[in-house]
Amino acid sequence: MCNIEVFKTIIDEISRKAKEGRNLEYPEGSIGVTSLIYCPLKVRFREEHPEIEADSLEIDDGFYFEKEVKEALLSLWGAKRVRLEEELPYKSDKGLKINGHLDIAIIGKKKVIGLELKNMKLAYHNLPYDSVPEEAKFIADPELVKRISIPENYMLQAKIQKYLLEQKYSPKPVEHYLFIKTMVKLNGSGLKKVFIIRKTEENITREELETLIEKFMEDETPRYPWECGFCPYRKAGICEGMENTETLKVPTEELPEPVQEALEEYLLLNSRIKDLEDYLKKELKGRNIEIANGNGRPKTIGYMEKTKYDWDLQKIFQLLGDNILDYVTVNWRKREDLEMVLAERVALSEVRTTKRVLEWKGLN
């Protein structure tokens, strides 16, 4: 039997080497761009608990990706033109100092190019069928790139970096890119690893940046619903976390064109699926068939016999007592009736806890 501790030691060393040399310095009283756009509490917790760090294989992969790209650029153009962790200072009207660190700045005679490096698990997209060849290593066509879902926090960071880079090197022209390594699911080819090169065409104004800074200074709630779930300070018990499940109904016409196209196709296909299913229900007439689904595995569709049970819950309760709670949950169809009955006896807060979560709701 292999010694698991040996592999744990190997994995720990891989993680250590990934972070090796990664130590960004911030002048006293200043924060980075990433601190500005995420939960403000993390800045304080980072100072109070330097021993707590986020740790995951995805983070390690991101550090290794950064090292690979930086070494490649230094090899191509040298340290005179390629500046790593380029500092982007900014002094707010409200007194807060920003000291951004751009992953890479390439200083040319006629313009400056900024690169922010990202290593994503998976990129969702609305790419046309066969638009990306199986042998392709990167996607750079702007018309295709805009069909790939890039996290809004990445986009915000990119806009701020672009603005700060312009302020630093004005009047020299500036270009900013997100350089992403990720996986995409291609029709007929399964998952494929590619580079995505996305030019930052969006801009942020000084007024908008000052608004972000004001919110950072006055509002300590998380900026994104998913932050608390990944926060090392919550996992360590330093912070209880905060609910942030605010959702907004977005008018369809305000969505990007590729998203509108995806919605139209979604509605059309959903309607078509319902029509086809109604037709198959009538034609199969109580029969079922076995077909190969998208991944080649057999799947049975049609009419299948299913066993249903009517349970004597009163008898089960007599047999199991309190242990019944391990097997029985509240009937969601009777939830409102249950609330009315309980509210006559106790405050509902005594018999239930409440939490808000974001869940996807599609047409089916």
Side-chain angles (χ1 to χ4, degrees):
M1 182 180 291
C2 66
N3 188 341
I4 298 300
E5 287 302 314
V6 173
F7 287 97
K8 184 179 183 304
T9 301
I10 295 171
I11 293 169
D12 288 343
E13 179 63 10
I14 291 172
S15 182
R16 186 193 67 80
K17 291 188 71 65
K19 299 177 178 68
E20 199 172 50
R22 177 76 177 183
N23 186 26
L24 302 180
E25 299 291 336
Y26 293 92
E28 187 175 351
S30 68
I31 64 169
V33 172
T34 52
S35 296
L36 177 65
I37 64 177
Y38 297 115
C39 176
L41 289 173
K42 292 179 182 177
V43 175
R44 173 159 58 86
F45 293 149
R46 195 175 296 119
E47 293 176 354
E48 296 174 352
H49 303 278
E51 74 283 0
I52 298 176
E53 293 182 345
D55 185 32
S56 70
L57 188 54
E58 288 80 13
I59 293 174
D60 294 344
D61 284 347
F63 287 149
Y64 275 119
F65 173 53
E66 284 189 23
K67 287 185 177 182
E68 291 168 358
V69 177
K70 290 172 179 177
E71 288 176 6
L73 288 175
L74 288 173
S75 176
L76 286 169
W77 295 302
K80 186 174 181 180
R81 292 184 62 190
V82 177
R83 298 183 184 175
L84 309 183
E85 302 300 341
E86 174 79 343
E87 292 194 3
L88 301 175
Y90 176 81
K91 175 68 179 293
S92 167
D93 296 338
K94 299 169 179 60
L96 185 67
K97 296 178 182 177
I98 306 295
N99 195 53
H101 287 83
L102 178 64
D103 287 331
I104 298 168
I106 305 173
I107 313 301
K109 292 181 180 179
K110 295 184 178 180
K111 65 180 176 182
V112 175
I113 296 176
L115 299 181
E116 178 62 23
L117 311 177
K118 299 293 184 185
N119 189 72
M120 289 170 52
K121 288 183 187 178
L122 182 68
Y124 296 96
H125 62 81
N126 181 32
L127 293 168
Y129 185 80
D130 278 349
S131 59
V132 179
E134 189 173 349
E135 68 275 10
K137 289 188 176 181
F138 65 90
I139 304 173
D141 182 340
E143 291 303 309
L144 294 181
V145 172
K146 74 179 184 180
R147 293 178 172 272
I148 300 171
S149 179
I150 307 297
E152 61 179 292
N153 47 308
Y154 289 1
M155 304 285 287
L156 179 57
Q157 182 183 7
K159 288 193 294 184
I160 296 172
Q161 288 178 342
K162 178 185 174 185
Y163 174 81
L164 298 181
L165 200 60
E166 289 171 338
Q167 301 306 304
K168 182 170 183 175
Y169 286 99
S170 179
K172 187 177 287 190
V174 162
E175 291 182 5
H176 182 280
Y177 294 85
L178 284 171
F179 188 34
I180 301 168
K181 188 176 184 180
T182 189
M183 300 281 284
V184 295
K185 189 173 184 180
L186 299 180
N187 294 325
S189 302
L191 289 172
K192 174 179 176 53
K193 189 164 287 187
V194 293
F195 294 110
I196 297 172
I197 304 159
R198 187 192 190 282
K199 186 176 183 181
T200 305
E201 301 284 5
E202 301 82 2
N203 298 297
I204 191 170
T205 64
R206 182 181 179 90
E207 290 73 22
E208 290 170 332
L209 181 56
E210 287 291 330
T211 299
L212 281 175
I213 291 171
E214 182 178 7
K215 186 174 182 181
F216 174 86
M217 298 174 70
E218 298 178 357
D219 181 2
E220 291 189 332
T221 58
R223 301 304 188 246
Y224 301 97
W226 48 262
E227 281 194 76
C228 290
F230 292 90
C231 181
Y233 304 107
R234 184 180 187 182
K235 292 177 182 178
I238 305 300
C239 179
E240 294 182 357
M242 301 181 188
E243 291 184 358
N244 185 346
T245 58
E246 180 180 355
T247 58
L248 296 174
K249 286 190 176 180
V250 183
T252 305
E253 59 272 14
E254 292 184 9
L255 294 170
E257 184 180 336
V259 181
Q260 292 189 41
E261 292 176 5
L263 279 172
E264 290 175 5
E265 186 176 0
Y266 176 55
L267 292 168
L268 182 64
L269 290 175
N270 185 73
S271 176
R272 180 62 176 150
I273 286 172
K274 286 184 176 180
D275 290 341
L276 289 172
E277 199 166 70
D278 287 341
Y279 172 75
L280 289 172
K281 285 178 182 178
K282 293 177 181 177
E283 292 299 316
L284 286 176
K285 297 182 174 68
R287 298 168 295 174
N288 62 58
I289 56 173
E290 188 176 271
I291 60 173
N293 61 11
N295 57 19
R297 297 175 183 173
K299 183 176 180 66
T300 302
I301 66 169
Y303 294 91
M304 287 166 280
E305 187 175 292
K306 184 177 181 181
T307 303
K308 292 188 175 182
Y309 302 95
D310 289 323
W311 295 91
D312 186 340
L313 293 179
Q314 190 170 8
K315 181 68 173 178
I316 294 173
F317 181 75
Q318 291 173 357
L319 293 169
L320 297 182
D322 290 343
N323 290 335
I324 196 174
L325 299 178
D326 295 330
Y327 307 99
V328 177
T329 60
V330 171
N331 183 344
W332 61 269
R333 296 181 181 86
K334 297 287 187 178
R335 181 182 61 81
E336 292 185 359
D337 295 335
L338 178 62
E339 289 174 342
M340 291 176 61
V341 171
L342 292 174
E344 295 174 356
R345 295 168 170 80
V346 294
L348 290 178
S349 59
E350 293 184 25
V351 293
R352 74 177 185 190
T353 56
T354 303
K355 64 179 180 180
R356 296 174 61 83
V357 296
L358 289 175
E359 292 182 348
W360 165 259
K361 179 177 174 57
L363 292 173
N364 297 321

